[in-house]
Amino acid sequence: MPTHTLQPETWVDRYSDYLYNYTIVRVNDHIVAQDLISETFLAGLKSKKNFKGDASERTWLIAILKRKIIDHYRKKNSKKGQAEVHINYTDDEMEGDWLEERVKDPYYKTAEDKLENNELRLAILECLDTLDERHAAIFKMKTIDNFDTEAICNEYNITPSNLWVIIHRARKAMANCLEKNWL
Amino acid sequence: MKLNMIFNCEEAAHVCDRAQYNEASLWEKTLLTIHTFFCKLCRKHTTRNARLTKAIKKSEVQTLSAEQKHLLKKRLRQEMMQ
Protein backbone atom coordinates (compact mmCIF):
# COMPACT_ATOMS: atom_id res chain seq x y z
CA MET A 1 0.00 0.00 0.00
CA PRO A 2 1.69 3.25 -1.08
CA THR A 3 2.03 5.71 1.73
CA HIS A 4 2.86 8.71 -0.44
CA THR A 5 1.14 10.09 -3.49
CA LEU A 6 2.30 12.52 -6.10
CA GLN A 7 0.71 15.93 -6.45
CA PRO A 8 2.48 17.68 -9.32
CA GLU A 9 0.36 20.84 -8.93
CA THR A 10 2.03 21.54 -5.58
CA TRP A 11 5.59 20.71 -6.59
CA VAL A 12 6.71 24.22 -7.44
CA ASP A 13 5.40 25.77 -4.25
CA ARG A 14 6.57 23.00 -1.99
CA TYR A 15 9.87 21.85 -3.43
CA SER A 16 11.33 24.38 -5.85
CA ASP A 17 13.25 26.27 -3.14
CA TYR A 18 14.58 23.05 -1.68
CA LEU A 19 15.67 21.74 -5.07
CA TYR A 20 17.17 25.12 -5.91
CA ASN A 21 19.34 25.20 -2.81
CA TYR A 22 20.34 21.61 -3.43
CA THR A 23 21.32 22.36 -7.02
CA ILE A 24 23.00 25.73 -6.69
CA VAL A 25 25.84 24.38 -4.54
CA ARG A 26 26.42 21.62 -7.06
CA VAL A 27 26.34 23.55 -10.31
CA ASN A 28 27.11 27.07 -9.09
CA ASP A 29 25.10 28.70 -11.86
CA HIS A 30 21.70 30.24 -11.34
CA ILE A 31 20.37 29.64 -14.84
CA VAL A 32 21.64 26.09 -15.06
CA ALA A 33 20.10 25.37 -11.66
CA GLN A 34 16.75 26.68 -12.82
CA ASP A 35 16.87 24.61 -15.99
CA LEU A 36 17.74 21.48 -14.05
CA ILE A 37 14.84 22.00 -11.67
CA SER A 38 12.46 22.53 -14.55
CA GLU A 39 13.76 19.36 -16.24
CA THR A 40 13.41 17.46 -12.98
CA PHE A 41 9.76 18.41 -12.64
CA LEU A 42 9.03 17.46 -16.23
CA ALA A 43 10.88 14.16 -15.88
CA GLY A 44 8.98 13.49 -12.67
CA LEU A 45 5.74 14.09 -14.46
CA LYS A 46 6.71 11.73 -17.24
CA SER A 47 7.72 8.91 -14.96
CA LYS A 48 4.86 9.45 -12.58
CA LYS A 49 3.78 5.86 -13.08
CA ASN A 50 7.06 4.56 -11.71
CA PHE A 51 6.52 6.20 -8.35
CA LYS A 52 5.90 3.41 -5.89
CA GLY A 53 5.01 5.56 -2.93
CA ASP A 54 7.71 4.17 -0.65
CA ALA A 55 9.72 7.37 -0.52
CA SER A 56 8.39 10.86 0.02
CA GLU A 57 7.74 13.06 -2.98
CA ARG A 58 10.75 15.19 -2.18
CA THR A 59 13.15 12.26 -1.91
CA TRP A 60 11.88 10.99 -5.22
CA LEU A 61 12.35 14.36 -6.91
CA ILE A 62 15.84 14.68 -5.43
CA ALA A 63 16.73 11.28 -6.88
CA ILE A 64 15.70 12.50 -10.33
CA LEU A 65 17.53 15.78 -9.81
CA LYS A 66 20.74 13.93 -8.93
CA ARG A 67 20.62 12.13 -12.27
CA LYS A 68 20.01 15.44 -14.03
CA ILE A 69 23.01 17.03 -12.35
CA ILE A 70 25.22 14.09 -13.35
CA ASP A 71 23.93 14.34 -16.92
CA HIS A 72 24.67 18.06 -16.91
CA TYR A 73 28.32 17.44 -16.02
CA ARG A 74 28.62 14.63 -18.50
CA LYS A 75 27.36 16.86 -21.27
CA LYS A 76 29.65 19.66 -20.19
CA ASN A 77 32.69 17.39 -20.12
CA SER A 78 32.02 16.00 -23.56
CA LYS A 79 32.04 19.54 -24.93
CA LYS A 80 35.26 20.44 -23.18
CA GLY A 81 37.72 22.36 -25.35
CA GLN A 82 41.13 21.04 -26.19
CA ALA A 83 43.09 24.03 -25.04
CA GLU A 84 43.50 24.51 -21.36
CA VAL A 85 45.28 27.39 -19.76
CA HIS A 86 47.27 26.72 -16.67
CA ILE A 87 48.04 29.62 -14.45
CA ASN A 88 50.86 29.03 -12.11
CA TYR A 89 51.55 31.73 -9.60
CA THR A 90 54.61 30.09 -8.16
CA ASP A 91 56.54 30.31 -11.39
CA ASP A 92 60.24 31.01 -10.89
CA GLU A 93 60.21 34.11 -13.06
CA MET A 94 57.47 35.71 -11.08
CA GLU A 95 58.90 35.08 -7.69
CA GLY A 96 57.89 37.78 -5.26
CA ASP A 97 55.01 39.03 -7.38
CA TRP A 98 51.35 38.69 -6.57
CA LEU A 99 51.99 38.69 -2.89
CA GLU A 100 48.51 40.07 -2.24
CA GLU A 101 46.97 36.99 -3.68
CA ARG A 102 48.84 34.76 -1.32
CA VAL A 103 47.59 36.50 1.80
CA LYS A 104 44.88 34.65 3.65
CA ASP A 105 41.45 35.84 2.63
CA PRO A 106 39.60 37.11 5.72
CA TYR A 107 36.30 35.96 4.22
CA TYR A 108 37.68 32.57 3.38
CA LYS A 109 35.41 29.77 4.47
CA THR A 110 36.75 26.32 5.00
CA ALA A 111 35.24 23.46 3.08
CA GLU A 112 33.80 22.24 6.33
CA ASP A 113 32.00 25.53 6.94
CA LYS A 114 30.52 25.45 3.48
CA LEU A 115 29.40 21.87 3.82
CA GLU A 116 27.80 22.63 7.14
CA ASN A 117 25.98 25.60 5.65
CA ASN A 118 24.68 23.51 2.77
CA GLU A 119 23.25 21.02 5.18
CA LEU A 120 21.82 23.76 7.37
CA ARG A 121 20.14 25.30 4.34
CA LEU A 122 18.38 22.08 3.49
CA ALA A 123 17.48 21.49 7.15
CA ILE A 124 15.82 24.92 7.26
CA LEU A 125 13.79 24.18 4.16
CA GLU A 126 12.84 20.75 5.46
CA CYS A 127 11.55 22.37 8.63
CA LEU A 128 9.67 24.97 6.61
CA ASP A 129 7.92 22.11 4.86
CA THR A 130 6.49 20.90 8.17
CA LEU A 131 4.81 24.26 8.77
CA ASP A 132 1.36 25.27 7.63
CA GLU A 133 1.68 26.23 3.96
CA ARG A 134 0.53 29.82 4.37
CA HIS A 135 2.60 30.38 7.48
CA ALA A 136 5.65 28.95 5.75
CA ALA A 137 5.17 31.24 2.75
CA ILE A 138 4.79 34.31 4.96
CA PHE A 139 7.76 33.34 7.12
CA LYS A 140 9.86 32.79 4.02
CA MET A 141 8.93 36.18 2.57
CA LYS A 142 9.67 37.99 5.79
CA THR A 143 12.79 36.17 6.94
CA ILE A 144 14.55 34.91 3.85
CA ASP A 145 13.42 37.32 1.15
CA ASN A 146 13.38 40.28 3.56
CA PHE A 147 10.13 41.76 2.31
CA ASP A 148 8.58 44.72 4.15
CA THR A 149 5.84 44.01 6.64
CA GLU A 150 3.54 46.23 4.61
CA ALA A 151 4.20 44.42 1.34
CA ILE A 152 3.43 41.04 2.87
CA CYS A 153 0.29 42.38 4.54
CA ASN A 154 -0.94 43.68 1.20
CA GLU A 155 -0.16 40.48 -0.61
CA TYR A 156 -1.93 38.23 1.91
CA ASN A 157 -4.53 40.78 2.91
CA ILE A 158 -3.77 40.60 6.62
CA THR A 159 -3.11 43.19 9.31
CA PRO A 160 0.39 43.73 10.74
CA SER A 161 -0.68 42.23 14.06
CA ASN A 162 -1.90 39.12 12.21
CA LEU A 163 1.43 38.97 10.47
CA TRP A 164 3.39 39.13 13.72
CA VAL A 165 1.28 36.40 15.27
CA ILE A 166 1.99 34.18 12.25
CA ILE A 167 5.68 35.04 12.36
CA HIS A 168 5.82 34.30 16.07
CA ARG A 169 4.22 30.88 15.65
CA ALA A 170 6.35 30.06 12.65
CA ARG A 171 9.53 31.06 14.46
CA LYS A 172 8.62 28.95 17.44
CA ALA A 173 7.91 25.93 15.26
CA MET A 174 11.07 26.49 13.25
CA ALA A 175 13.21 26.79 16.38
CA ASN A 176 11.72 23.56 17.73
CA CYS A 177 12.21 21.73 14.48
CA LEU A 178 15.77 22.94 13.96
CA GLU A 179 16.70 22.13 17.52
CA LYS A 180 15.52 18.59 16.93
CA ASN A 181 17.18 18.18 13.55
CA TRP A 182 20.15 20.44 13.62
CA LEU A 183 21.39 22.48 16.56
CA MET B 1 5.42 54.32 26.90
CA LYS B 2 4.84 50.61 26.77
CA LEU B 3 6.26 50.33 30.25
CA ASN B 4 3.93 47.46 30.97
CA MET B 5 6.18 45.37 28.74
CA ILE B 6 8.43 44.88 31.72
CA PHE B 7 5.72 42.69 33.25
CA ASN B 8 3.98 41.42 30.13
CA CYS B 9 5.52 38.37 28.47
CA GLU B 10 3.29 38.54 25.40
CA GLU B 11 4.37 42.08 24.68
CA ALA B 12 8.00 41.12 25.31
CA ALA B 13 7.77 38.20 22.87
CA HIS B 14 6.37 40.54 20.22
CA VAL B 15 9.25 42.98 20.64
CA CYS B 16 11.68 40.06 20.61
CA ASP B 17 10.28 38.94 17.25
CA ARG B 18 10.47 42.43 15.80
CA ALA B 19 14.01 42.81 17.08
CA GLN B 20 15.00 39.81 14.94
CA TYR B 21 14.10 41.88 11.88
CA ASN B 22 15.66 45.08 13.21
CA GLU B 23 12.24 46.61 13.61
CA ALA B 24 12.34 47.27 17.34
CA SER B 25 13.37 50.66 18.71
CA LEU B 26 16.22 51.13 21.12
CA TRP B 27 13.72 51.90 23.87
CA GLU B 28 11.82 48.68 23.20
CA LYS B 29 15.00 46.68 23.19
CA THR B 30 16.00 48.23 26.52
CA LEU B 31 12.65 47.27 28.01
CA LEU B 32 13.07 43.77 26.61
CA THR B 33 16.45 43.49 28.29
CA ILE B 34 14.92 44.56 31.60
CA HIS B 35 12.11 42.04 31.15
CA THR B 36 14.42 39.17 30.35
CA PHE B 37 16.53 40.07 33.34
CA PHE B 38 13.62 39.08 35.58
CA CYS B 39 11.84 36.50 33.41
CA LYS B 40 13.63 33.22 32.91
CA LEU B 41 11.23 31.87 30.30
CA CYS B 42 11.53 34.93 28.08
CA ARG B 43 15.26 34.90 28.52
CA LYS B 44 15.32 31.39 27.14
CA HIS B 45 12.95 32.29 24.33
CA THR B 46 15.01 35.33 23.37
CA THR B 47 18.16 33.23 23.15
CA ARG B 48 16.45 30.62 20.98
CA ASN B 49 14.89 33.24 18.76
CA ALA B 50 18.24 34.93 18.22
CA ARG B 51 19.84 31.57 17.50
CA LEU B 52 17.27 30.92 14.79
CA THR B 53 17.98 34.30 13.19
CA LYS B 54 21.69 33.56 13.26
CA ALA B 55 21.25 30.11 11.76
CA ILE B 56 19.14 31.41 8.89
CA LYS B 57 21.57 34.23 8.20
CA LYS B 58 24.57 31.94 8.33
CA SER B 59 23.03 29.36 6.02
CA GLU B 60 22.54 31.96 3.25
CA VAL B 61 19.45 30.06 2.19
CA GLN B 62 18.04 31.31 -1.10
CA THR B 63 14.65 31.18 -2.67
CA LEU B 64 13.47 31.37 -6.25
CA SER B 65 11.63 34.57 -7.07
CA ALA B 66 7.88 34.59 -7.57
CA GLU B 67 8.45 35.19 -11.27
CA GLN B 68 10.70 32.18 -11.64
CA LYS B 69 8.23 30.02 -9.78
CA HIS B 70 5.49 31.26 -12.04
CA LEU B 71 7.52 30.21 -15.09
CA LEU B 72 8.16 26.78 -13.61
CA LYS B 73 4.47 26.35 -12.88
CA LYS B 74 3.53 27.43 -16.36
CA ARG B 75 5.85 24.92 -17.95
CA LEU B 76 4.68 22.14 -15.70
CA ARG B 77 1.05 22.97 -16.39
CA GLN B 78 1.66 22.94 -20.13
CA GLU B 79 3.18 19.51 -19.83
CA MET B 80 0.29 18.25 -17.73
CA MET B 81 -2.24 19.40 -20.31
CA GLN B 82 -0.63 17.33 -23.02
Side-chain angles (χ1 to χ4, degrees), chain A:
Chain A
M1 187 68 184
T3 43
H4 298 96
T5 51
L6 292 181
Q7 290 164 310
E9 318 77 54
T10 63
W11 283 355
V12 176
D13 285 329
R14 290 189 65 184
Y15 308 118
S16 60
D17 287 331
Y18 187 91
L19 297 188
Y20 179 70
N21 280 279
Y22 186 94
T23 320
I24 197 72
V25 294
R26 285 165 176 81
V27 298
N28 214 359
D29 184 321
H30 175 70
I31 295 176
V32 174
Q34 240 176 293
D35 283 346
L36 288 174
I37 294 168
S38 176
E39 280 173 34
T40 303
F41 285 149
L42 297 183
L45 204 61
K46 265 185 202 147
S47 49
K48 213 173 146 191
K49 280 179 232 139
N50 302 338
F51 182 72
K52 288 183 200 134
D54 300 337
S56 73
E57 246 182 333
R58 194 183 60 212
T59 314
W60 188 69
L61 286 169
I62 285 285
I64 300 175
L65 179 61
K66 273 185 195 162
R67 308 300 318 172
K68 292 282 169 204
I69 294 173
I70 293 171
D71 285 348
H72 162 72
Y73 277 111
R74 251 186 222 147
K75 229 184 269 170
K76 208 173 155 192
N77 270 344
S78 66
K79 279 186 204 155
K80 213 174 189 176
Q82 299 293 317
E84 278 182 40
V85 183
H86 290 283
I87 300 172
N88 195 356
Y89 283 143
T90 52
D91 215 335
D92 284 345
E93 286 171 28
M94 287 156 73
E95 193 136 23
D97 284 347
W98 310 108
L99 204 57
E100 294 85 348
E101 293 180 25
R102 294 202 215 164
V103 174
K104 192 174 176 241
D105 181 358
Y107 301 107
Y108 177 73
K109 281 184 182 162
T110 62
E112 215 167 299
D113 277 344
K114 279 189 187 167
L115 194 70
E116 201 182 280
N117 282 353
N118 294 345
E119 284 173 10
L120 176 59
R121 227 172 282 171
L122 298 183
I124 288 172
L125 291 167
E126 271 168 40
C127 283
L128 264 177
D129 200 30
T130 61
L131 258 64
D132 174 88
E133 214 171 291
R134 191 157 164 266
H135 289 192
I138 292 174
F139 177 79
K140 221 188 266 179
M141 266 180 108
K142 180 81 184 147
T143 316
I144 302 173
D145 303 331
N146 296 321
F147 271 91
D148 280 343
T149 305
E150 208 178 313
I152 304 172
C153 287
N154 287 341
E155 170 127 9
Y156 286 90
N157 204 7
I158 50 177
T159 63
S161 57
N162 279 149
L163 174 97
W164 285 109
V165 170
I166 291 171
I167 292 286
H168 181 70
R169 287 186 189 155
R171 290 190 75 89
K172 246 179 149 175
M174 285 297 287
N176 273 338
C177 176
L178 279 176
E179 255 166 25
K180 237 185 264 162
N181 299 331
W182 180 259
L183 296 169

Side-chain angles (χ1 to χ4, degrees), chain B:
Chain B
M1 256 168 76
K2 283 193 175 178
L3 261 178
N4 66 334
M5 196 188 114
I6 296 179
F7 310 104
N8 186 337
C9 289
E10 213 173 294
E11 191 78 32
H14 177 53
V15 170
C16 177
D17 283 332
R18 280 199 294 146
Q20 304 309 316
Y21 301 95
N22 290 328
E23 288 182 31
S25 65
L26 187 64
W27 173 242
E28 285 172 324
K29 281 191 270 187
T30 314
L31 290 179
L32 177 66
T33 313
I34 297 171
H35 180 98
T36 53
F37 185 75
F38 296 108
C39 177
K40 196 178 168 188
L41 265 177
C42 285
R43 193 160 55 231
K44 217 173 142 194
H45 173 75
T46 309
T47 316
R48 279 178 87 207
N49 217 356
R51 211 190 294 157
L52 177 68
T53 306
K54 216 173 142 194
I56 292 174
K57 215 172 186 180
K58 188 180 145 214
S59 76
E60 293 167 1
V61 61
Q62 300 171 61
T63 53
L64 284 171
S65 70
E67 201 182 319
Q68 286 156 347
K69 280 186 186 167
H70 179 72
L71 283 174
L72 278 173
K73 273 186 198 166
K74 209 168 136 191
R75 221 175 137 189
L76 197 60
R77 220 174 289 141
Q78 273 171 357
E79 197 70 20
M80 280 161 83
M81 302 269 260
Q82 284 172 11

